Amino acid sequence: METSVNYPIPGVVYPSRARAEAALASGAWIAATVGDALRATARRHPQRLVFIGEDRSLDLAGFDEATERLGAGLLALGLAPGDRAIFQLGTTVETATALVACFKAGIVPVCSLPQHREVEIGQLTQQSGARGYFVQADFGSSFDLPVFAESMMARHPSLEHLVIVRGERAGASSLQTLIDGMPLDEARERLSQVRPGLSDVLSFQLSGGTTGVPKIIPRFHAEYLGHSSGWMRRYRIDADSRLIWSLPLMHNAGQLYALIPTVLTGTSVVLMSKVDIPRMLDLIGQHQVTHALSIGPIAPQLMAYPDIARHDLSSLRLFSTMSRADTLEAHLGVPCSNLYGITEGLLLGSPADAPADARHRTQGRSGCDDDEIRLLEPGSERPVPEGQIGELCFRGPSSLTGYFSNPEANAQSFTSDGFYRTGDLVTARRVGDALHYAFEGRLRDNVNRGGEKIGCEEVESHVSQHPAVADAKLVAMPDPFYGEKGCIFIIPRPGMQAPDVQALGRFLVERGLARFKCPERVVEVEAFPLTRVGKVDKPAMKRHIADVLEQEGKP
């Protein structure tokens, strides 16, 4: 297949032809689009069960057919290849169907979250120029996503087509109705006219950042297939494996780990709409799950769960987590390994048969032999000696080619020879003959709440608009379940008191900030601590709140 771009999107920095051809030659990219990969897998294993949901399941033939009919239905609705669509969907079989239907039709999902509100959806819509909007009608009980979507469409005229998933609403299209109303033969004929190139955009993923403007990361068909395939090799995942996923399917990790393996090989995936530890463990035994992964609060909750022994985990070959794999392995009694992943294109991990030093004391190594990794002195391009902490920088077949329509961020994000600067501090450690990488901390100003990156600058900007707040600084505080939560230090206006957590949360949500970004502790201060050169000393604030929590008996 040609590496050409058949549906160009202004503002996308595409991989060069030389890069694409080299990646295809080495096997780091797979010479297919996601749609064609699924069609081929479905022909080989039509009856294989691929998605096991809480209320329905799909085999490969049914998944391929549903995505064909929905993809063609979206084109008939008025969307076109190259159009973008906001996605606010949970982790369900319907979400997997909607994503792959868009991939087949050349429609580009903007992978936002159901928890995002006016601020995030407004910015993403303006940046992406989205014409489509998918929302889940039954996501949670306290917030009406279809009503919210209608309000956003009224504010943003580019949004023309609303698709309701797992429900119906007057004036909008129902996902199921679009599927049912499109005959399969007609769908296949219509989609045969849509031919994305290997370097066409597959999806718009989001980067966690330090500012209030989400950065959009284009991912590409052949590149994304190859990236997922490399992760599968690293973890020994194949067609006979069975995975479980309970975190957002919109996340890069969810799609690389749980969605694309079904497309490539027909790997079965158990989908959970929310984290429920006893239920997860029951499902692992019931469905003989072989691989589980956590990028957020799952591992800490598992370690706090006292009844592991009553669950059958004999099928589980590997549980991967962001950190503390040694503790989790001792608790579960199954092999566990640390991992590292960044949406900009690097995945590190270790398989179950790797040495304990690799699995427990590092985040592993890349599944792609073409990836180049350097550890540099922060703020420079000087490599650090092996064994010393440096900023993790990388380039490779799946590494970011450029944020979408963001030349300023692109100018700051790469070294002079094209290595992406992660802002993460790691140490290179040799295990056997290979270098592995151990996460040590971050340079950038954000809070990593269970895998969701919260930009401190964004939250501070909103908090500072509160009438009682003169200034505010957000820092990460340790949390046993989420790893980190946000603690806001507030200097109140003269004669006023800082709002408490509940009042501040109400204020921020009313401003349109996602609830998960709201600070979960407020500390009122007269002044912020300063460094010797007069800058605000956030490390001192972090130490302060960590000491307070320790005194309170909260780890």
Side-chain angles (χ1 to χ4, degrees):
M1 292 181 68
E2 286 292 326
T3 62
S4 60
V5 176
N6 295 338
Y7 303 107
I9 299 173
V12 171
V13 182
Y14 288 93
S16 68
R17 180 177 292 273
R19 171 174 165 172
E21 290 176 347
L24 287 167
S26 72
W29 283 22
I30 292 177
T33 64
V34 169
D36 284 342
L38 174 58
R39 294 177 184 114
T41 305
R43 286 194 295 270
R44 292 195 304 270
H45 310 290
Q47 304 308 313
R48 176 171 286 167
L49 200 63
V50 283
F51 289 111
I52 303 168
E54 294 171 343
D55 52 9
R56 61 177 300 213
S57 299
L58 270 181
D59 61 20
L60 264 171
F63 184 52
D64 185 44
E65 178 177 332
T67 53
E68 294 279 290
R69 294 168 70 180
L70 178 57
L74 294 170
L75 296 175
L77 186 64
L79 291 167
D83 280 346
R84 279 76 71 196
I86 300 289
F87 267 60
Q88 287 194 277
L89 303 179
T91 299
T92 68
V93 173
E94 290 84 359
T95 298
T97 302
L99 283 166
V100 175
C102 284
F103 298 161
K104 285 183 170 182
I107 299 163
V108 178
V110 181
C111 296
S112 55
L113 295 173
Q115 295 87 350
H116 283 154
R117 295 296 179 257
E118 290 91 341
V119 171
E120 297 88 2
I121 298 302
Q123 291 171 339
L124 289 171
T125 299
Q126 289 175 349
Q127 284 188 74
S128 69
R131 294 185 64 225
Y133 197 169
F134 291 72
V135 295
Q136 182 172 323
D138 65 349
F139 187 86
S141 58
S142 60
F143 190 80
D144 192 324
L145 270 174
V147 170
F148 171 71
E150 288 175 346
S151 72
M152 296 306 294
M153 293 180 76
R155 297 185 192 186
H156 300 282
S158 74
L159 293 170
E160 299 177 48
H161 302 287
L162 177 60
V163 179
I164 305 296
V165 180
R166 295 175 65 88
E168 296 183 355
R169 187 168 184 83
S173 300
S174 159
L175 179 136
Q176 193 59 50
T177 300
L178 288 172
I179 294 174
D180 294 341
M182 176 57 64
L184 183 57
D185 288 345
E186 181 182 338
R188 286 176 172 157
E189 173 60 28
R190 187 182 287 266
L191 288 179
S192 71
Q193 307 304 312
V194 178
R195 305 306 302 170
L198 301 185
S199 295
D200 264 301
V201 176
L202 176 78
S203 65
F204 275 175
Q205 285 286 349
L206 306 185
S207 174
T210 61
T211 70
V213 180
K215 296 195 291 293
I216 292 175
I217 300 169
R219 304 301 299 259
F220 309 95
H221 278 266
E223 169 264 311
Y224 214 57
L225 290 170
H227 204 200
S228 182
S229 178
W231 200 354
M232 293 171 70
R233 287 193 300 272
R234 170 63 56 223
Y235 288 137
R236 314 286 196 259
I237 294 170
D238 56 27
D240 296 323
S241 302
R242 183 158 286 188
L243 317 177
I244 191 165
W245 188 257
S246 62
L247 296 166
L249 199 55
M250 287 296 105
H251 277 165
N252 180 61
Q255 292 180 44
L256 287 172
Y257 176 82
L259 182 65
I260 301 301
T262 69
V263 170
L264 285 170
T265 66
T267 304
S268 297
V269 182
V270 179
L271 295 175
M272 297 181 66
S273 62
K274 62 180 179 180
V275 176
D276 180 330
I277 295 301
R279 178 65 176 154
M280 173 187 287
L281 296 174
D282 284 343
L283 289 171
I284 288 173
Q286 177 184 341
H287 296 292
Q288 295 294 285
V289 169
T290 61
H291 292 76
L293 181 145
S294 165
I295 58 168
I298 295 174
Q301 290 185 39
L302 275 168
M303 287 187 282
Y305 180 67
D307 297 325
I308 294 292
R310 75 176 181 85
H311 299 276
D312 176 15
L313 303 182
S314 59
S315 64
L316 199 57
R317 300 174 195 162
L318 180 67
F319 196 111
S320 298
T321 181
M322 294 177 72
S323 62
R324 300 177 66 190
D326 51 349
T327 307
L328 185 63
E329 182 170 311
H331 187 59
L332 293 180
V334 300
C336 297
S337 67
N338 294 327
L339 64 86
Y340 173 93
I342 187 169
T343 310
E344 282 81 356
L346 180 67
L347 303 173
L348 305 176
S350 298
D353 58 359
D357 276 354
R359 291 187 291 110
H360 297 164
R361 294 177 177 83
T362 79
Q363 270 59 41
R365 61 192 183 94
S366 174
C368 177
D369 292 337
D370 292 358
D371 278 338
E372 301 175 76
I373 295 175
R374 289 181 185 169
L375 305 189
L376 303 180
E377 293 179 8
S380 79
E381 296 192 10
R382 295 186 297 273
V384 301
E386 186 175 316
Q388 291 191 16
I389 295 175
E391 182 185 4
L392 175 63
C393 302
F394 67 90
R395 70 180 178 189
S398 288
S399 60
L400 175 73
T401 46
Y403 292 110
F404 174 67
S405 289
N406 200 333
E408 181 180 353
N410 292 337
Q412 299 171 353
S413 298
F414 297 90
T415 64
S416 60
D417 52 355
F419 280 71
Y420 177 76
R421 294 184 175 275
T422 67
D424 291 327
L425 298 173
V426 304
T427 302
R429 298 179 182 175
R430 195 166 292 278
V431 181
D433 295 331
L435 283 177
H436 293 63
Y437 299 90
F439 180 78
E440 306 287 356
R442 287 189 303 276
L443 286 169
R444 294 178 180 170
D445 193 14
N446 58 32
V447 175
N448 188 349
R449 187 187 188 275
E452 297 293 351
K453 301 289 181 63
I454 302 170
C456 292
E457 183 179 321
E458 175 188 17
V459 176
E460 292 162 358
S461 174
H462 285 283
V463 173
S464 295
Q465 299 304 309
H466 191 283
V469 175
D471 202 358
K473 297 297 177 186
L474 185 74
V475 301
M477 63 180 177
D479 182 80
F481 278 177
Y482 289 95
E484 294 178 351
K485 287 183 177 179
C487 175
I488 194 81
F489 285 73
I490 291 177
I491 300 175
R493 292 185 182 277
M496 305 184 78
Q497 285 188 325
D500 62 18
V501 169
Q502 290 74 26
L504 182 60
R506 289 192 297 270
F507 172 79
L508 295 175
V509 169
E510 288 172 0
R511 285 182 60 84
L513 196 69
R515 186 172 296 278
F516 73 84
K517 295 182 180 180
C518 296
E520 293 170 82
R521 184 151 182 152
V522 172
V523 176
E524 183 175 319
V525 294
E526 293 182 357
F528 301 131
L530 302 176
T531 66
R532 286 181 294 178
V533 296
K535 295 184 177 181
V536 173
D537 191 350
K538 281 198 169 182
M541 296 183 198
K542 292 181 182 180
R543 291 192 296 271
H544 172 80
I545 190 58
D547 290 344
V548 170
L549 291 174
E550 185 175 359
Q551 292 168 12
E552 294 175 350
K554 300 175 182 177

